[in-house]
Amino acid sequence: MPVADILFSPIEYLKGVGPQRSEMLQKELGIFTFNDLLNHFPFRHIDRTKVNSISQLNFDTDYFQFAGTIISFKIIGEKKAKRLVAQVKDKTGTLELVWFQGLTWIQKMLQLNENYLVYGKVSFFQSHPQIVHPEIEVLTKELMEGKNFLEPIYPTTEKLKSRALGGRQIGKLTQQLFKLLDEKKIFENIPVSILSDLNLISRYNAFLQIHFPENKVQYEAAVKRLKFEELFLSQLRVQLLKSERHHFSKGVVFAKVGDLFNSFYKNQLPFTLTDAQKRVVKELRLDTATGTQMNRLLQGDVGSGKTIVALLAMLIAADNGYQSCLMAPTEVLAQQHFHNISKLLKGMNVPIAILTGSTKTAARKTIIEELKNRVLNILIGTHAVIEKEVQFAKFGLAIVDEQHKFGVAQRAKLWEKSNPLPHVLVMTATPIPRTLAMTAYGELDYSVIDELPPGRQLITTVHRLETLRPKVMHFLKSEIEKGRQVYIVFPLIEESSKLDYENLMRGFENIKAWFPEPNYWISMVHGQQKPIQKQTNMDRFIKGETQIMVSTTVIEVGVDVPNASVMIIESAEKFGLSQLHQLRGRVGRGSEQSYCILLTGTQISTDAKERMKIMTSTNDGFLIAEKDLEIRGPGDIGGTRQSGILNFKLANIVEDKALLDLAKDFAFKIAENDPELITEENLLLKQFLQKQGKTEWSKIS
Ligand code: ADP
Ligand code: MG
């Protein structure tokens, strides 16, 4: 076997594992190879030298290690509460150990009057200390004189514990593994100059010391090194992709800004662009004229006016004889874009069409024909546009609105429609903190509209308990009497959840009782309606024929009705911050003072309270995104969980931001200076990346 490949040996072949345990390790912990075991890190280390006496235990004790003799066993309780309780005694007192699972096996394994080393988390049951499911081992001389004073404790499962693969015992396997490894087998992958600049220990040492450190300092050095490696490799990948695209990916050239753009700008534009909009249009213009393919993320808070920027870009494409496509995540939104853009283009010769799942067969056929014959300039639609039959004669620009609603694969299908690739603009209103955006979408170029059109009023946001519903309804009445429209949004946790729909229907009936026809008219939109129903209801609201829109979160993205001034969010505690912010963005689009009312039950979690507090204290989407990040961690910012881009094993992009910035800088330099990794210093890095395979590379769009 070649030297470096030993890490990819099946775990079964490690001494002490064998077929049965190997199967368990695979199933329970996903450990298939030596390398997986190497990367299964301990969650803490216990100081072997710190064996406490039971009398030292107090209410502040967290994890506790002691040595003692088992003096009794008994099984008590029934069914779920059935448990094995052992009393362990040392010179200073006794402590209870409790097991809820694997009782028979544990009873068989443990011996009365034998000495044990016990470790675990202390909990108090009726102010009585106990350790539930402890790590327990016969106290041998060998055990106490082990070389490493910090003993690793690994994540494990109850099932594995019952097969002698507890949190401690996995360490024995890791020890076994290290007997087979050395500096060559765990070879260095970070260029030496970076290691010395940042004072990082070698890769081999880092792995050794994250498992078996001699002291805390060593452990921390190991963690730092491995965190940096994770961040650096991820940043390097995106930077290399970006540099490859900049250097090699040919794009169509939009050489000029022509009559369509200019006459639209002069005669049709109903307002003055904000400075931020102007800046972004300029960025797009420059980017599409270079001859390399544009791949750009456009971020802008709800209502910041991304649509008009998209339209201007499509006009530049048209000026150069190219077709564009704007893809939106929902039928409602696609229709709305079509409606607005058609209106804006009125009187101009820019043929435009809409294609969605509900487009009739005949119309669809015409559209497909007209795309091929270059009759159509602009196609707007839902994911229906990515179907194979939909082909463009001269595809120049693909725009994806609210990109986080689409999967990576879906998006990619859109731009694979032509060769050379069209320019790509993905737009999102989910504000991602800037640094995070650069990390998650580092291979994309980045534009931001960080300014709202003038004259927008701040939306007044309040948190109200459900018990105050009548007051809220009276307020709604007074707004409607002023000629305004209102949204009432219900949570729909699962698209198919019966309970949620019942809830919605009950809410609808309730609202109808407050707002009876014919004085009031209500639209309702939800995911289980047919597209045509949705559309009709939506249209009536847009035209002002209904004053109230009751809906689920299908209304969340992009819907624009400037006359709507109140957004009521039912069971607001069930929504995350960014979703609440998105919903709130449906109002405050006209010149009238707008309101967002967050209705919740009386008993909500501390987290939910915190969310309500943040929402009522700021309108700033980027600030909210930062808070969201603090509260939830980077888990699912802008749908990144799905792609796993921001989920590192050790590093946390919030806490380790300084390290992330360093990683980014070094990665950037390498991608600039040696994009093919051919210098001597980068050879090992190249080798390592190739080994890791293409699977992870392709995660990023
Ligand atoms: P989003 O960025 O959320 O997609 P939209 O493009 O839907 O925002 O724009 C929100 C509203 O603001 C629309 O009614 C649009 O016509 C209007 N708008 C956009 N830009 C400007 C501007 N520069 N001045 C005034 N109103 C604008
Ligand atoms: Mg929008």
Side-chain angles (χ1 to χ4, degrees):
M1 195 184 291
V3 186
D5 282 345
I6 185 172
L7 283 176
F8 294 93
S9 317
I11 194 68
E12 181 180 344
Y13 300 128
L14 186 68
K15 201 172 153 197
V17 179
Q20 263 176 9
R21 284 173 127 196
S22 141
E23 208 185 302
M24 305 271 302
L25 283 169
Q26 289 175 22
K27 244 198 220 134
E28 298 283 306
L29 297 175
I31 297 177
F32 290 83
T33 61
F34 288 13
N35 193 50
D36 293 336
L37 181 64
L38 184 67
N39 281 284
H40 187 65
F41 300 137
F43 65 94
R44 61 192 295 131
H45 290 83
I46 348 171
D47 188 343
R48 271 275 180 68
T49 56
K50 261 200 203 129
V51 178
N52 299 291
S53 331
I54 291 172
S55 65
Q56 286 173 311
L57 211 153
N58 61 42
F59 280 105
D60 296 326
T61 309
D62 186 16
Y63 283 87
F64 189 69
Q65 174 165 257
F66 73 103
T69 316
I70 295 190
I71 54 171
S72 77
F73 286 123
K74 59 178 184 274
I75 287 185
I76 54 179
E78 273 183 63
K79 288 190 182 147
K80 273 199 177 146
K82 187 168 166 188
R83 58 202 187 270
L84 171 65
V85 178
Q87 300 283 339
V88 186
K89 179 176 182 300
D90 73 0
K91 279 184 199 129
T92 65
T94 59
L95 183 60
E96 233 171 58
L97 308 183
V98 183
W99 288 268
F100 291 93
Q101 278 166 19
L103 307 193
T104 352
W105 189 82
I106 286 166
Q107 215 171 0
K108 229 189 278 169
M109 182 192 78
L110 299 178
Q111 307 281 323
L112 268 184
N113 301 321
E114 175 78 82
N115 274 318
Y116 288 96
L117 183 66
V118 184
Y119 171 82
K121 195 172 163 73
V122 177
S123 54
F124 287 86
F125 180 65
Q126 294 166 351
S127 45
H128 198 74
Q130 60 182 23
I131 300 181
V132 178
H133 287 208
E135 298 279 336
I136 180 162
E137 269 178 293
V138 176
L139 187 69
T140 57
K141 225 176 136 194
E142 202 183 54
L143 182 63
M144 296 310 293
E145 285 168 359
K147 180 172 164 283
N148 293 293
F149 287 109
L150 289 176
E151 189 190 6
I153 304 291
Y154 292 86
T156 185
T157 65
E158 294 311 321
K159 229 183 192 152
L160 286 173
K161 274 189 189 176
S162 72
R163 297 291 173 90
L165 283 174
R168 262 195 155 121
Q169 285 136 335
I170 288 175
K172 301 229 163 80
L173 298 182
T174 312
Q175 242 168 1
Q176 197 60 43
L177 175 62
F178 267 95
K179 287 186 188 160
L180 308 171
L181 300 176
D182 56 35
E183 298 264 2
K184 282 218 182 77
K185 287 168 193 143
I186 302 185
F187 70 85
E188 188 53 67
N189 58 9
I190 296 179
V192 186
S193 63
I194 299 182
L195 290 181
S196 70
D197 272 4
L198 297 182
N199 220 344
L200 297 175
I201 61 174
S202 77
R203 188 154 200 267
Y204 172 77
N205 275 332
F207 274 109
L208 184 63
Q209 291 172 18
I210 199 169
H211 289 285
F212 307 110
E214 276 165 35
N215 52 48
K216 234 184 138 167
V217 178
Q218 273 196 356
Y219 177 76
E220 276 159 12
V223 169
K224 180 178 166 196
R225 146 80 211 210
L226 292 171
K227 277 183 176 175
F228 179 80
E229 179 181 319
E230 260 185 321
L231 296 168
F232 172 69
L233 293 179
S234 85
Q235 289 307 298
L236 185 64
R237 281 193 198 103
V238 294
Q239 293 296 344
L240 288 177
L241 279 176
K242 189 168 176 173
S243 126
E244 184 181 310
R245 184 163 52 75
H246 282 177
H247 291 114
F248 305 110
S249 175
K250 280 238 175 320
V252 293
V253 182
F254 296 168
K256 61 173 184 197
V257 171
D259 291 346
L260 291 175
F261 181 97
N262 286 330
S263 77
F264 178 84
Y265 204 94
K266 255 191 239 133
N267 310 324
Q268 315 272 123
L269 196 61
F271 38 67
T272 321
L273 293 186
T274 62
D275 288 344
Q277 284 171 321
K278 282 185 195 154
R279 191 189 59 234
V280 172
V281 171
K282 200 166 162 195
E283 284 165 354
L284 297 176
R285 249 173 51 193
L286 292 177
D287 220 6
T288 49
T290 57
T292 52
Q293 184 220 3
M294 175 176 82
N295 209 339
R296 189 171 278 276
L297 175 70
L298 170 58
Q299 227 191 82
D301 207 346
V302 278
S304 61
K306 295 184 290 296
T307 316
I308 199 81
V309 169
L311 175 57
L312 287 167
M314 295 194 285
L315 289 175
I316 296 178
D319 271 335
N320 289 277
Y322 284 95
Q323 296 164 301
S324 314
C325 179
L326 170 59
M327 177 163 81
T330 62
E331 170 103 20
V332 170
L333 196 51
Q335 291 287 359
Q336 188 185 285
H337 277 320
F338 180 69
H339 175 84
N340 288 343
I341 291 177
S342 303
K343 218 163 89 188
L344 284 164
L345 291 175
K346 207 164 178 183
M348 289 181 71
N349 182 22
V350 183
I352 166 173
I354 178 164
L355 180 66
T356 71
S358 61
T359 305
K360 296 254 162 54
T361 319
R364 187 167 178 275
K365 235 175 152 176
T366 313
I367 289 172
I368 290 175
E369 272 310 298
E370 291 184 346
L371 280 174
K372 277 191 199 134
N373 302 337
R374 268 175 80 184
V375 173
L376 277 177
N377 257 322
I378 295 177
L379 180 67
I380 292 176
T382 56
H383 53 266
V385 302
I386 63 183
E387 280 162 29
K388 242 202 157 105
E389 302 83 53
V390 182
Q391 292 292 340
F392 298 75
K394 258 194 124 184
F395 195 20
L397 176 63
I399 302 180
V400 180
D401 194 16
E402 309 297 348
Q403 60 81 26
H404 65 285
K405 298 276 161 178
F406 292 101
V408 170
Q410 264 181 323
R411 277 187 272 150
K413 268 196 195 147
L414 179 58
W415 31 99
E416 278 159 11
K417 281 188 179 295
S418 80
N419 191 8
L421 295 174
H423 295 299
V424 174
L425 179 67
V426 291
M427 308 200 290
T428 178
T430 308
I432 308 172
R434 193 187 159 93
T435 50
L436 212 63
M438 304 297 275
T439 308
Y441 304 104
E443 90 287 12
L444 303 180
D445 293 304
Y446 179 78
S447 292
V448 60
I449 305 182
D450 48 8
E451 179 186 1
L452 292 181
R456 288 278 163 78
Q457 307 247 9
L458 284 186
I459 301 160
T460 303
T461 304
V462 293
H463 172 202
R464 291 280 178 267
L465 300 180
E466 256 159 24
T467 42
L468 286 177
R469 188 181 297 274
K471 258 190 146 159
V472 172
M473 293 299 147
H474 283 298
F475 174 70
L476 278 192
K477 266 196 181 146
S478 70
E479 280 294 298
I480 293 171
E481 262 152 39
K482 285 192 229 157
R484 306 284 113 75
Q485 289 165 283
V486 304
Y487 292 101
I488 304 176
V489 173
F490 285 80
L492 196 63
I493 310 307
E494 282 169 61
E495 204 43 52
S496 58
S497 161
K498 218 173 140 214
L499 208 78
D500 284 339
Y501 275 103
E502 279 169 10
N503 203 9
L504 173 70
M505 293 310 159
R506 218 174 311 123
F508 180 65
E509 291 307 321
N510 191 346
I511 290 157
K512 246 165 106 177
W514 278 96
F515 298 96
E517 294 171 5
N519 286 340
Y520 301 94
W521 297 96
I522 307 176
S523 283
M524 179 160 68
V525 172
H526 61 74
Q528 290 196 343
Q529 287 169 329
K530 296 222 171 72
I532 181 78
Q533 275 177 304
K534 260 189 255 179
Q535 196 51 48
T536 312
N537 277 304
M538 201 58 227
D539 280 347
R540 292 189 66 204
F541 189 68
I542 292 172
K543 286 186 196 141
E545 292 169 13
T546 57
Q547 300 98 327
I548 302 173
M549 163 63 74
V550 175
S551 83
T552 60
T553 49
V554 291
I555 222 72
E556 177 191 345
V557 277
V559 173
D560 187 26
V561 179
N563 187 46
S565 67
V566 186
M567 164 63 65
I568 295 193
I569 304 176
E570 296 271 354
S571 307
E573 73 272 18
K574 293 193 181 156
F575 294 90
L577 270 178
S578 55
Q579 214 177 9
L580 288 172
H581 180 66
Q582 283 275 327
L583 287 169
R584 176 167 63 182
R586 297 307 111 221
V587 296
R589 304 189 143 227
S591 50
E592 303 306 327
Q593 174 62 50
S594 293
Y595 304 87
C596 174
I597 301 174
L598 308 168
L599 276 175
T600 73
T602 43
Q603 295 195 331
I604 58 174
S605 70
T606 324
D607 262 13
K609 270 186 203 143
E610 179 69 22
R611 288 199 294 274
M612 299 308 127
K613 217 171 104 192
I614 293 167
M615 285 298 294
T616 52
S617 65
T618 181
N619 273 279
D620 179 340
F622 283 88
L623 190 70
I624 288 172
E626 304 273 359
K627 293 278 180 197
D628 204 14
L629 189 63
E630 275 169 36
I631 297 178
R632 290 193 305 169
D636 195 27
I637 302 294
T640 49
R641 179 182 294 148
Q642 202 186 2
S643 53
I645 307 168
L646 294 177
N647 297 338
F648 296 105
K649 204 173 150 118
L650 288 172
N652 172 315
I653 51 177
V654 182
E655 285 161 20
D656 301 315
K657 172 141 189 326
L659 212 52
L660 173 63
D661 288 341
L662 287 169
K664 216 180 283 172
D665 288 348
F666 282 109
F668 179 75
K669 270 185 218 141
I670 292 183
E672 280 289 292
N673 300 329
D674 183 19
E676 291 178 74
L677 306 178
I678 44 179
T679 61
E680 165 128 25
E681 179 169 70
N682 295 331
L683 273 184
L684 284 174
L685 184 54
K686 181 173 193 162
Q687 204 180 324
F688 184 86
L689 288 176
Q690 282 171 343
K691 230 190 183 64
Q692 280 210 327
K694 293 235 182 278
T695 47
E696 285 183 62
W697 286 69
S698 59
K699 268 186 197 163
I700 304 154
S701 91

